[in-house]
Amino acid sequence: MEIIDLNEKYYSIYFKCLEDWSDDINEAGDHKEIWFNKFKDKGLRVKIAVEEEKACGMIQYLPIEHSMAKGKDLYFISCIWVHGHKQGIGNFQKRGIGTKLLEAAEEDVKLLNAKGIAAWGVSLPFWMKASWFRKKGYKKIDKNGMAVLLWKPFVEDAVPPKWIKEKKTPQLTEGKVNVTSFTNGWCLAQNMILERTKRAVQCFNDKVEFRIISTAEKESLCEWGICDALFVDGKEVRTGPPPSYEKIKKIIEKRVKKLKT
Ligand SMILES: CC(C)(COP(=O)(O)OP(=O)(O)OC[C@H]1O[C@@H](n2cnc3c(N)ncnc32)[C@H](O)[C@@H]1OP(=O)(O)O)[C@@H](O)C(=O)NCCC(=O)NCCS
């Protein structure tokens, strides 16, 4: 197994989070590719774990100034993923690949003269676990619901990062159901929810006001303090794990039925 910088040979599998076998992933559109092309010029770095020419793990990190956290002179790991499903190439987790990807990213970031590295994880024992980063020497520094922000400073004068927190939520629309999708592009699960929502709103034509807010623009991210989320009539829809198309449609339908005719 070797860790390499992402190159063109692995672009298409990276844009599918190493899960080209998954129907769900194939629903996620091309937002990740668009996001990659935008952020690669802003310092985004991606490393891939490769075994026998198969991409089995990846880590993506970018200058924190372009991330969903506030900070200075740090890099931010938005995602680390070692393929863990039995489908496709099979389960590569718990073989030390995640540790090697993280070490490679830390080395890289030190060479880039960053003062430290930040990461995020969930406080529960699934997905990207905050506890996994803690075992790797990262310290919890902020929390936003279940999302824990952690960091590993390399120098004494490194400034601790903070989460950008929610500032406002979408308002109701007179006479219509308001559906607002915040989307950044970095996460296929979130992109999939956007695509499912786009399909669902089409069932209700002019009964719904649908708005997509791109938070790939930092001003927009800071204005709302929201990175990826779905709101229906001002109420946030739980998006972890990603709701199915049917579930999203049902939530909207329930609100449409309450509209005065
Ligand atoms: C977190 C994650 C990256 C860790 O990757 P990994 O390759 O499984 O990590 P490692 O193998 O380095 O470490 C995991 C464990 O295996 C153990 N381990 C490491 N090498 C090992 C080996 N050769 N044999 C047996 N166990 C080993 C480690 O001690 C560690 O122990 P722990 O379970 O007590 O923490 C991986 O589990 C993952 O991708 N999780 C999902 C993350 C996710 O959802 N990402 C998308 C979020 S948006």
Side-chain angles (χ1 to χ4, degrees):
M1 196 275 303
E2 56 172 345
I3 308 289
I4 60 164
D5 290 324
L6 175 68
N7 62 44
E8 284 183 17
K9 178 174 170 187
Y10 294 102
Y11 275 7
S12 62
I13 191 77
Y14 165 68
F15 296 146
K16 291 188 186 289
C17 279
L18 320 180
E19 292 179 38
D20 53 351
W21 51 268
S22 159
D23 290 341
D24 280 348
I25 290 292
N26 284 315
E27 265 187 73
D30 59 357
H31 306 285
K32 175 113 188 198
E33 183 171 356
I34 294 168
W35 172 85
F36 172 80
N37 284 323
K38 181 176 172 98
F39 283 88
K40 75 177 186 332
D41 299 330
K42 295 185 172 184
L44 169 67
R45 317 275 286 183
V46 182
K47 291 201 182 283
I48 302 283
V50 177
E51 191 167 287
E52 291 171 357
E53 304 213 0
K54 290 187 292 239
C56 54
M58 66 97 172
I59 186 164
Q60 65 188 38
Y61 47 102
L62 72 173
I64 199 161
E65 291 79 358
H66 298 301
S67 78
M68 53 210 191
K70 273 187 266 186
K72 200 172 172 309
D73 302 327
L74 305 172
Y75 272 71
F76 176 83
I77 300 168
S78 62
C79 190
I80 179 167
W81 166 236
V82 173
H83 194 273
H85 301 287
K86 59 180 185 308
Q87 298 96 325
I89 57 169
N91 187 353
F92 281 74
Q93 290 185 0
K94 297 214 176 239
R95 290 169 42 178
I97 296 173
T99 304
K100 289 213 168 65
L101 281 164
L102 189 62
E103 285 169 358
E106 289 176 8
E107 278 314 303
D108 187 28
V109 160
K110 278 181 190 161
L111 291 173
L112 291 162
N113 289 323
K115 292 189 172 181
I117 188 160
W120 76 281
V122 286
S123 49
L124 299 174
F126 46 79
W127 294 317
M128 217 160 64
K129 293 179 279 184
S131 62
W132 187 79
F133 286 105
R134 276 207 303 274
K135 274 192 211 156
K136 305 288 170 203
Y138 286 64
K139 297 258 178 318
K140 177 179 162 181
I141 196 77
D142 199 7
K143 199 164 186 274
N144 193 7
M146 282 192 319
V148 180
L149 182 65
L150 307 104
W151 80 317
K152 189 188 257 191
F154 302 146
V155 291
E156 267 187 20
D157 67 343
V159 180
K162 279 191 181 147
W163 275 132
I164 294 171
K165 296 209 172 137
E166 187 176 288
K167 295 205 178 78
K168 58 179 185 178
T169 54
Q171 299 297 302
L172 301 180
T173 308
E174 181 74 40
K176 290 191 183 200
V177 175
N178 181 291
V179 178
T180 306
S181 196
F182 292 86
T183 187
N184 185 275
W186 69 277
C187 175
L188 278 193
Q190 302 300 325
N191 300 345
M192 189 198 305
I193 296 166
L194 168 64
E195 287 303 313
R196 287 177 180 168
T197 306
K198 272 195 206 167
R199 277 170 57 210
V201 296
Q202 279 171 14
C203 304
F204 306 103
N205 297 320
D206 57 351
K207 301 255 187 308
V208 169
E209 182 179 83
F210 181 42
R211 189 170 172 205
I212 299 172
I213 298 177
S214 167
T215 58
E217 321 307 326
K218 190 77 188 214
E219 307 77 57
S220 177
L221 178 61
C222 291
E223 180 193 338
W224 292 88
I226 298 171
C227 185
D228 286 282
L230 173 63
F231 285 83
V232 176
D233 274 348
K235 198 164 171 248
E236 187 166 0
V237 174
R238 285 174 72 130
T239 51
S244 64
Y245 161 75
E246 286 76 19
K247 173 116 194 257
I248 296 170
K249 190 175 152 202
K250 218 166 163 181
I251 292 169
I252 300 170
E253 193 169 32
K254 222 168 144 184
R255 298 299 307 172
V256 167
K257 282 186 179 155
K258 291 202 167 139
L259 286 174
K260 289 192 189 97
T261 44

